[in-house]
Amino acid sequence: MNFLDTGEMTELRHSKEETCIESEVNILKEKDQDQDQEQEQEGGTAAAQTHEHENTAGDGSTEGQECPENGGSDTAGDSKDKETEDSVKQSPVKRPRKSDKSLLFQQLVKLFFGCLAAVTCGMMYAVYLSTYHERKFWFSSRQELEREITFLGGSGLYYYYYKHMLAVPSFERGMQELMQDNRTVSAQTINAVEQLFLYPELVTSFLYRVTGSQDVIEPVYFYIGVVFGLQAVYVTALFVSSWVMSGTWVAGMLAVAWYIINRPDTTKVDYAIPLRDNWALPYFSCQVLALTGFLRNRNSSATEMFCYLLMGASTFTFILMWEYSHYVLFVQGLALFFLDCFDLVQPRKMADIHKVYLCSVVLAYVLQFQNPSLLSSPLLSLLAGSTVARYLQHNMKMGSLVARLMKILLHFYLVFTIGITFSYVVKKIMPVNESDHMLKFLEVKFGLNTTTDFVPNLLLCQEGFQSPGQDFFLRLTQASVLPFYLLVLLVCLLSTLQAIYRRLSGEPMKSNIRLEDGRIGEKPEVIYHVFHTMLFGMLAMVFEGMKYLWTPYVCMFTAFGVCSPELWMTVFKWLKLKSVHPVVLALILSTAVPTIIGFSLWREYFPRVIAELTELQEFHDPDTVELMNWIKRQAPVMAVFAGSPQLMGAVKLCSGWTVTSLPLYTDINLLRRSENIYQVYAMRSAEDIYKILTSYKASYVIIEETLCGEMSPVKGCRIKDLLDVSNGHVMYEKGEMYAFSKYRRFCHEIKMNYSPYVNYFTRVFWNRSYHVYKVNSVISFQY
């Protein structure tokens, strides 16, 4: 105790000495100034008296301080200054500088190993995807035709354009041919770059040419290698996002582990590599990462500028890659809109984010050949509505709690009213074809209307537009991500609501939140992810396809929560824990919980992952291979094929022949074409089918046994059921639906070679899965 008192008295004495010296120096300076002035006015005697009086006043100015004695002379002051400097040199004032250096070194080491872990996780995931793809399809041992057939679900259509760009003499000529493409869809010239969003194929083919990869790697391996590399970027961005929010890269590793374990619900890259979302979502993950860093309060100017530039580049690229990107960004913009309304983010940052959105949409509009869907997008309508409403409401974030709530409600009304009006005006000025059928689809989906129209009912039956099944939630629960996600979301949401209440009550938000505060919901980046995951989660509960957008961020958000001491500290703050120090316990739990989760996941799922990589699977589709070989060898070069859109995508990829329809759901004209071609599975006459096919200049029609003879017990979503409803060939009796028509089903009758089918069509190829009929050019109609 005596030693402690002695140390404290020594520090006190040093501080008082410094205070006394400073006061003496100031007094001496004032005396010299006053002396000069009075010598000019009164002479030397008065100056001496004044000097004597000020010395007395100067001694009394330090009254009440226990200063050491000094003679007040310059010599004594100089000696005291030297003693003070010596005492400062000997005192432990420099110790914090040494600790700052050690802290900086620790942060650099942590940053190095974190970045190394993030990059390693991304590279290992790319290697894992490549190995799994090879084991699943025996890719290296197959012929080129069999490799192309593995691109399922009509996604191979995009790979065709990549092959085309490599086959043309020059990149410029290939670009011109795609912009005026009359060899893909019969009787129609399309801009394939605009309609199919082919920038990924353009960039990849350009890189393959300029890098001289022709002599090193096959084109197909280069293509899938780029896609797998983007998936590595995807995983790395999720890793860094969780790391930035939690402060530890252990959270990033846990996020990646959950992402890989839940791979069937996080990505479609396993079975449909060329799909647009496999190209676009990695850029969206980079955009979310940049936005997370940009929203943080404790950022240096250089870090903030880097995040801003990354956010701008990734947002623009994301819009350019995917036709549904502006809908995704609208949901994100809605989450940021809530942050702005409740004054949870700096207005300057919100203005900067809006600039990024606006510039990205405008640039994408130009590069997408003035695509009108971008101008009528809900994202642009939200930007217009929020900008005008903010101009009309200058004092929205001022006033009492009730007044601010009323202003926020008025703000909501203004934003959405102005946004809807803006979208309506744009659609009137620049008509957008796909808006009507998408609106009708949403009305039917949410039970606001019923329809017999084939197109909305077809979209409703697509797997991606249906509600997720129980197996989806069961998989997330078995992987332990869903229970912890609900816990983390509940804590962060409650803390966010507290922060909103404080802001509406006029209490300022803390820019520098400490661990002891237990206010995780006051971090702007955390609040954004709370709204982000809730909005995308609600959409995932309605549309199963949205799970590929929601589940990756569930993994990231959950990993951040269980590894964040701030989250546990927030809980302890609510519980008012006193028996154990809450900070220590929060640090322990933020390390122990993810460690336990990691070991349990390693024990249960690591053997499964290894089994996937060691087990040889087989993809065997001899009927499709036989069909494609027949088309390439027997069909004329100018032939036009008709069939289901998914099959036409494969025909275009494998043969290059012209087709009547494409597997696209954003173009209403192509959807109507598909509806007309599907009539071969309806109860229509041979004459009707012949007229439909010749109107599209079809030379051959392909009948698929899986569609014609489908006997699924679940009725309502079979192609022939949808056609019967659309054509009015149904009747209801005692709650059951029955089909009726004076004609029998065309696909059944044509196989019987009845007249007049022989006159209209001639069968030229068949196997167990496909029947190909030539559309006769000259007919003599006879019953």
Side-chain angles (χ1 to χ4, degrees), residues 104-357:
L104 178 61
F105 177 75
Q106 292 175 4
Q107 291 177 347
L108 291 177
V109 171
K110 180 180 178 181
L111 179 64
F112 171 77
F113 282 105
C115 294
L116 181 64
V119 174
T120 302
C121 285
M123 295 178 62
M124 290 181 64
Y125 181 63
V127 173
Y128 164 76
L129 286 178
S130 178
T131 307
Y132 178 75
H133 182 262
E134 172 65 27
R135 294 288 183 176
K136 182 176 181 179
F137 297 109
W138 294 18
F139 206 72
S140 60
S141 60
R142 294 187 178 274
Q143 299 296 323
E144 182 180 2
L145 178 62
E146 295 176 317
R147 290 177 180 176
E148 292 173 350
I149 292 176
T150 61
F151 297 142
L152 304 175
S155 63
L157 175 67
Y158 301 103
Y159 182 73
Y160 161 77
Y161 291 101
Y162 168 73
K163 289 198 313 178
H164 177 77
M165 290 299 297
L166 296 180
V168 293
S170 65
F171 183 84
E172 293 77 9
R173 179 177 175 181
M175 184 74 176
Q176 184 178 3
E177 290 180 357
L178 294 188
M179 292 171 60
Q180 298 177 352
D181 183 11
N182 56 4
R183 299 180 181 179
T184 297
V185 182
S186 62
Q188 187 175 353
T189 300
I190 64 172
N191 186 340
V193 180
E194 174 192 356
Q195 200 154 356
L196 299 173
F197 284 73
L198 294 180
Y199 278 104
E201 283 67 33
L202 294 179
V203 174
T204 307
S205 61
F206 179 77
L207 292 176
Y208 188 78
R209 285 174 176 269
V210 300
T211 56
S213 302
Q214 296 89 337
D215 301 328
V216 180
I217 188 173
E218 296 181 50
V220 63
Y221 280 108
F222 186 85
Y223 185 86
I224 64 176
V226 173
V227 178
F228 290 160
L230 286 176
Q231 302 308 305
V233 174
Y234 195 170
V235 166
T236 303
L238 292 175
F239 183 109
V240 179
S241 297
S242 190
W243 176 18
V244 167
M245 294 177 64
S246 64
T248 172
W249 50 266
V250 176
M253 298 187 69
L254 184 58
V256 172
W258 268 327
Y259 179 89
I260 296 175
I261 290 171
N262 296 280
R263 191 184 69 255
D265 302 310
T266 56
T267 180
K268 292 184 283 189
V269 75
D270 290 353
Y271 58 89
I273 292 177
L275 285 180
R276 301 299 86 184
D277 42 343
N278 292 332
W279 287 90
L281 290 182
Y283 294 101
F284 180 64
S285 67
C286 292
Q287 192 258 8
V288 172
L289 168 61
L291 180 60
T292 302
F294 184 73
L295 290 175
R296 295 183 68 192
N297 288 325
R298 293 178 296 174
N299 277 338
S300 63
S301 57
T303 303
E304 187 171 303
M305 180 56 65
F306 173 76
C307 292
Y308 186 71
L309 295 176
L310 177 61
M311 179 171 55
S314 54
T315 302
F316 164 69
T317 309
F318 178 56
I319 296 177
L320 206 61
M321 292 286 179
W322 195 23
E323 61 268 30
Y324 297 113
S325 57
H326 54 86
Y327 295 108
V328 176
L329 291 176
F330 166 71
V331 179
Q332 184 189 70
L334 201 60
L336 294 170
F337 171 71
F338 291 145
L339 264 73
D340 184 44
C341 288
F342 296 115
D343 200 15
L344 301 173
V345 66
Q346 299 177 18
R348 173 187 61 85
K349 292 187 176 182
M350 279 302 304
D352 291 340
I353 295 172
H354 284 176
K355 292 176 184 177
V356 167
Y357 282 153

Side-chain angles (χ1 to χ4, degrees), residues 234 259 262-268 271 275 277 281 284 288 318 322-334 378 438 441-442 445-446 459 462-469 472-473 475-476 485 531-555:
Y234 195 170
Y259 179 89
N262 296 280
R263 191 184 69 255
D265 302 310
T266 56
T267 180
K268 292 184 283 189
Y271 58 89
L275 285 180
D277 42 343
L281 290 182
F284 180 64
V288 172
F318 178 56
W322 195 23
E323 61 268 30
Y324 297 113
S325 57
H326 54 86
Y327 295 108
V328 176
L329 291 176
F330 166 71
V331 179
Q332 184 189 70
L334 201 60
M438 289 302 296
F441 159 72
L442 293 175
K445 176 65 178 179
F446 293 108
L459 295 178
Q462 299 301 310
E463 183 180 357
F465 293 121
Q466 295 181 355
S467 301
F472 167 60
F473 302 101
R475 288 191 298 267
L476 293 182
Y485 166 74
F531 291 133
H532 175 107
T533 189
M534 289 180 63
L535 291 174
F536 280 102
M538 288 187 289
L539 291 174
M541 298 302 104
V542 181
F543 304 107
E544 186 174 2
M546 290 298 298
K547 70 180 182 181
Y548 299 108
L549 274 164
W550 180 59
T551 312
Y553 295 97
V554 168
C555 300

Side-chain angles (χ1 to χ4, degrees), residues 484-536:
F484 283 103
Y485 166 74
L486 295 176
L487 173 64
V488 173
L489 178 62
L490 179 62
V491 174
C492 292
L493 178 59
L494 292 177
S495 184
T496 299
L497 293 177
Q498 287 183 335
I500 292 174
Y501 178 77
R502 295 190 189 102
R503 294 299 292 133
L504 295 179
S505 300
E507 180 180 339
M509 288 187 67
K510 290 186 177 181
S511 59
N512 189 9
I513 301 174
R514 302 174 302 170
L515 175 60
E516 296 83 359
D517 296 332
R519 293 187 177 184
I520 194 171
E522 288 196 5
K523 292 185 174 182
E525 66 273 20
V526 175
I527 302 172
Y528 159 70
H529 278 283
V530 169
F531 291 133
H532 175 107
T533 189
M534 289 180 63
L535 291 174
F536 280 102

